Amino acid sequence: MKFSTVFAAAALFSAAHARPRYIARSSSFLLQNGEDAIALNNQFKTLTTNSTCTTGSNACVNGEFAQCVGGKYVLQSCGSGLTCAALPLVNSAGTSITCATEADVQSRIAATGATSAANSTSSSVASASASASASASVSSCSATATASAAAAASTSITSTGTTSSGTTSASNNTAAQSSLTLLSSLINTGFEDNGTNEFSPEAGEIASATSSNNFINFCATVNKPLTNGTQAANGSCNAAPMGVIAGTNNMPSAKWVYPANMDTVPANQNFTVVLAVSHLQTGHFVNPATNFFAAPQTVNDTTGDIQGHSHVVIEKLQALNQTTPTSPGTFAFFKGLNDVAVNGTLSTVVTGGLPAGVYRMASINAAANHQPVLVAVAQHGALDDMSHEFLYDHLRHDDLI
Ligand SMILES: *[C@@H]1O[C@H](CO)[C@@H](O)[C@H](O)[C@H]1NC(C)=O
Ligand SMILES: *[C@@H]1O[C@H](CO)[C@@H](O)[C@H](O)[C@H]1NC(C)=O
Ligand SMILES: *[C@@H]1O[C@H](CO)[C@@H](O)[C@H](O)[C@H]1NC(C)=O
Ligand SMILES: *[C@@H]1O[C@H](CO)[C@@H](O)[C@H](O)[C@H]1NC(C)=O
Ligand SMILES: *[C@@H]1O[C@H](CO)[C@@H](O)[C@H](O)[C@H]1NC(C)=O
Ligand SMILES: *[C@@H]1O[C@H](CO)[C@@H](O)[C@H](O)[C@H]1NC(C)=O
Ligand SMILES: *[C@@H]1O[C@H](CO)[C@@H](O)[C@H](O)[C@H]1NC(C)=O
Ligand SMILES: *[C@@H]1O[C@H](CO)[C@@H](O)[C@H](O)[C@H]1NC(C)=O
Ligand SMILES: *[C@@H]1O[C@H](CO)[C@@H](O)[C@H](O)[C@H]1NC(C)=O
Ligand SMILES: *[C@@H]1O[C@H](CO)[C@@H](O)[C@H](O)[C@H]1NC(C)=O
């Protein structure tokens, strides 16, 4: 993993400020550890090379690892790209002073739920990497770190992250959801592969765009307004993640019950469209004017079904055998099917009906924020239904069918 180098350096380089260990693993100390780390890092910001100190204690000064010798700090660079900071321990109460990337420091503190993570480090990576003795630092520091301190730090750091399993972590707290730093446990290294190194690519396959930061700043590369919850008619760029992808046992499906495919319906009279849906937890519908495409897809924790709603759109065709594509900007009827399905079906009245003619009727199954439903595999049956209807008036019925 990309962090192994950092972890190794950190393990050699740190000193534990551990409190007495608890026997049972509990998350009760995590928040406190995070807050302690923030407090320490704020305290470190006030230190200079001239600060007095207690011999044997450690700190961070100007982003460098500082050991107190004879009442004065002796500084050692963390090396290029790393900064010195107090980090929360994970398996026990306490903190450890270590060298890490600025992003790692922020994500580890954010993962505890402690706030002010964005301002936690004692100095920027830039100032640390500007230090002269970067290349020599690790070996010289390993000589001065005590064995027990190194062991404590090693335990605390390697037992975190879920990066190797590729699953999402259990971090679900306000700090993680408001932090401006991508949690290191979420970095998707698979996105770094452009796909052209496969043994037998399909003819015409092109290289994928790649990213080592989950494309978090992708929209800065295109000249588009940001997707901000409104329906920007000229298009926009969306930074919201796709969210939870439904598994293959939870792929939504739909079929028109009325009018069923090839049904005839009296023209210019109310009729009620009825859609049977499966594997869509209906009734989930957010404000389409302010929250359009503005949050990730979610599924029901118990059933795995996508939480969303459906729509009906009816388009007039020139004839049943029309072969030219329709114009999606033009339709005869459109309605969100926002209710909770009753007996597996959603319905709505087409008030006043539609003029005589041939029509195509489609469902549009969507997640709560109106994005099309996303499922786990590429090859699957249609997640929506389309049918064709004849709207007739009595005079022209025979002409139509
Ligand atoms: C530390 O003390 C020296 C000598 O008194 C002084 O020149 C220097 O500016 C001080 N540095 C800081 C960071 O205060
Ligand atoms: C973070 O630090 C910057 C610069 O030191 C400061 O301007 C800002 O107010 C701080 N923000 C918080 C939330 O503490
Ligand atoms: C995450 O937090 C949100 C908001 O507090 C909550 O609705 C949701 O159930 C939580 N999810 C998990 C998996 O704990
Ligand atoms: C795809 O990635 C490989 C390295 O994994 C690189 O050699 C190749 O040039 C890349 N192709 C494109 C089109 O970027
Ligand atoms: C959202 O973006 C559109 C342009 O795409 C803009 O007209 C609108 O004012 C923005 N609204 C908000 C709330 O930012
Ligand atoms: C949409 O794009 C067209 C053509 O580029 C432009 O004339 C129009 O002003 C744009 N509308 C908005 C709301 O940005
Ligand atoms: C998940 O689905 C089950 C079964 O339909 C339902 O009882 C439960 O209320 C749903 N949970 C949520 C959070 O909507
Ligand atoms: C559609 O059917 C009509 C006869 O009903 C025929 O005249 C016409 O050529 C057909 N159009 C196409 C595109 O097949
Ligand atoms: C529910 O649907 C079944 C067939 O799918 C139908 O036989 C039954 O009458 C419906 N029940 C209600 C209350 O609509
Ligand atoms: C048509 O449907 C509307 C509701 O959508 C209703 O108010 C109206 O009474 C209906 N008309 C007839 C003739 O049933």
Side-chain angles (χ1 to χ4, degrees):
M1 294 314 303
K2 71 189 298 179
F3 286 97
S4 59
T5 316
V6 175
F7 293 168
L12 292 169
F13 204 145
S14 57
H17 277 219
R19 297 172 176 188
R21 282 171 180 262
Y22 296 111
I23 292 166
R25 182 173 178 175
S26 154
S27 62
S28 62
F29 49 69
L30 281 179
L31 177 62
Q32 186 61 49
N33 290 355
E35 284 169 355
D36 289 350
I38 291 170
L40 273 174
N41 288 323
N42 285 336
Q43 195 185 321
F44 294 160
K45 285 181 198 167
T46 68
L47 301 178
T48 71
T49 49
N50 291 351
S51 299
T52 56
C53 54
T54 306
T55 298
S57 67
N58 301 302
C60 300
V61 177
N62 298 333
E64 299 193 15
F65 188 72
Q67 289 186 296
C68 190
V69 178
K72 286 266 179 192
Y73 282 122
V74 177
L75 303 194
Q76 291 177 308
S77 167
C78 280
S80 178
L82 303 182
T83 190
C84 178
L87 286 183
L89 295 184
V90 173
N91 286 325
S92 58
T95 57
S96 73
I97 298 170
T98 193
C99 290
T101 64
E102 183 100 27
D104 208 27
V105 173
Q106 293 189 11
S107 70
R108 283 169 193 284
I109 290 174
T112 67
T115 52
S116 312
N119 267 13
S120 63
T121 55
S122 59
S123 79
S124 71
V125 170
S127 69
S129 60
S131 168
S133 58
S135 62
S137 63
V138 170
S139 56
S140 64
C141 291
S142 66
T144 56
T146 66
S148 62
S154 171
T155 303
S156 72
I157 289 174
T158 55
S159 62
T160 58
T162 52
T163 322
S164 55
S165 70
T167 57
T168 56
S169 79
S171 288
N172 183 32
N173 50 55
T174 39
Q177 298 313 319
S178 60
S179 170
L180 296 181
T181 304
L182 179 64
L183 293 183
S184 58
S185 60
L186 299 188
I187 294 172
N188 199 333
T189 53
F191 292 176
E192 293 170 13
D193 178 4
N194 67 23
T196 61
N197 302 317
E198 301 296 320
F199 289 114
S200 52
E202 273 183 53
E205 207 167 79
I206 64 168
S208 171
T210 56
S211 172
S212 56
N213 70 354
N214 291 12
F215 293 99
I216 53 175
N217 295 321
F218 170 76
C219 288
T221 70
V222 296
N223 187 20
K224 291 280 179 191
L226 295 180
T227 308
N228 61 10
T230 65
Q231 297 180 33
N234 271 0
S236 59
C237 183
N238 196 343
M242 294 186 195
V244 184
I245 309 297
T248 52
N249 292 330
N250 296 93
M251 299 194 286
S253 184
K255 206 79 188 78
W256 288 112
V257 176
Y258 187 82
N261 194 30
M262 306 300 275
D263 268 357
T264 56
V265 178
N268 302 314
Q269 294 177 29
N270 280 4
F271 67 98
T272 301
V273 296
V274 180
L275 181 71
V277 285
S278 61
H279 290 301
L280 184 65
Q281 190 188 346
T282 47
H284 287 256
F285 169 76
V286 303
N287 186 330
T290 58
N291 298 82
F292 188 76
F293 289 1
Q297 175 172 284
T298 58
V299 302
N300 180 298
D301 281 345
T302 310
T303 64
D305 288 346
I306 293 167
Q307 298 175 313
H309 60 281
S310 195
H311 311 79
V312 51
V313 60
I314 304 177
E315 295 168 87
K316 194 170 194 305
L317 299 180
Q318 290 152 8
L320 185 60
N321 63 356
Q322 175 177 332
T323 54
T324 51
T326 59
S327 179
T330 306
F331 43 80
F333 181 80
F334 188 98
K335 187 88 166 62
L337 303 174
N338 303 330
D339 296 333
V340 176
V342 175
N343 199 15
T345 63
L346 298 165
S347 61
T348 193
V349 175
V350 181
T351 303
L354 291 168
V358 176
Y359 291 84
R360 180 175 81 172
M361 179 167 69
S363 66
I364 304 175
N365 288 330
N369 288 74
H370 306 275
Q371 61 271 55
V373 289
L374 293 172
V375 300
V377 293
Q379 296 190 356
H380 57 72
L383 306 176
D384 279 296
D385 192 29
M386 273 204 191
S387 66
H388 292 85
E389 272 74 40
F390 305 96
L391 274 284
Y392 68 91
D393 58 45
H394 293 290
L395 296 175
R396 297 185 54 207
H397 186 198
D398 290 346
D399 296 338
L400 285 163
I401 56 175

